[in-house]
Amino acid sequence: MKENGKQKTAGLFLVLHVSLLMSSLSGVCSKMAANQKSLIGFALWYGGVLLIMVLYALIWQQILKHLPLTVAYANKPVSLIWGMIWGTFIFGEKITWNMILGALIIFGGIYLVVTADE
């Protein structure tokens, strides 16, 4: 019975992080929309932002039904890390040592918050 609960929690964390990945993609769509020269291109990319955020909001509400609020919110900064990854691969931005240090601090904080309940 206890192992089934751990599998359920692991599944919830997977859904949580997929939703955070989706949320970070809305930032990519926003940046793409800002770079458009035509109104149609802008509208398409901005529509992508809206669609992603509606889906994210629906998933987020379901996550909050099953995970403690502190745990769910402690994981939100992961989308900043996804933003660094998208910036590098899509926009050719460079990841600096300060950004890596910041990411490590974020993950350390997430670890401390999540393991504090155990």
Side-chain angles (χ1 to χ4, degrees):
M1 183 77 154
K2 203 167 194 132
E3 189 166 315
N4 188 21
K6 285 186 179 184
Q7 287 176 340
K8 184 178 178 182
T9 301
L12 286 170
F13 272 100
L14 178 63
V15 171
L16 171 64
H17 283 269
V18 168
S19 74
L20 294 171
L21 177 122
M22 286 174 46
S23 173
S24 71
L25 285 172
S26 73
V28 172
C29 289
S30 273
K31 194 166 184 175
M32 295 299 283
N35 290 332
Q36 296 301 305
K37 305 237 185 284
S38 71
L39 185 59
I40 293 171
F42 172 81
L44 288 173
W45 283 108
Y46 192 71
V49 171
L50 295 175
L51 177 65
I52 290 169
M53 292 313 290
V54 165
L55 292 173
Y56 168 73
L58 293 172
I59 294 169
W60 181 251
Q61 292 304 314
Q62 295 305 308
I63 290 168
L64 291 180
K65 287 182 181 180
H66 302 285
L67 283 178
L69 187 61
T70 55
V71 172
Y73 269 99
N75 282 268
K76 282 188 76 118
V78 169
S79 61
L80 298 172
I81 295 164
W82 280 114
M84 288 184 345
I85 293 168
W86 301 139
T88 299
F89 289 110
I90 297 172
F91 301 108
E93 299 170 353
K94 295 192 189 279
I95 295 178
T96 65
W97 286 108
N98 285 342
M99 294 167 80
I100 293 170
L101 177 62
L104 291 173
I105 291 170
I106 288 170
F107 278 121
I110 291 170
Y111 175 78
L112 290 174
V113 169
V114 171
T115 57
D117 290 343
E118 296 175 1

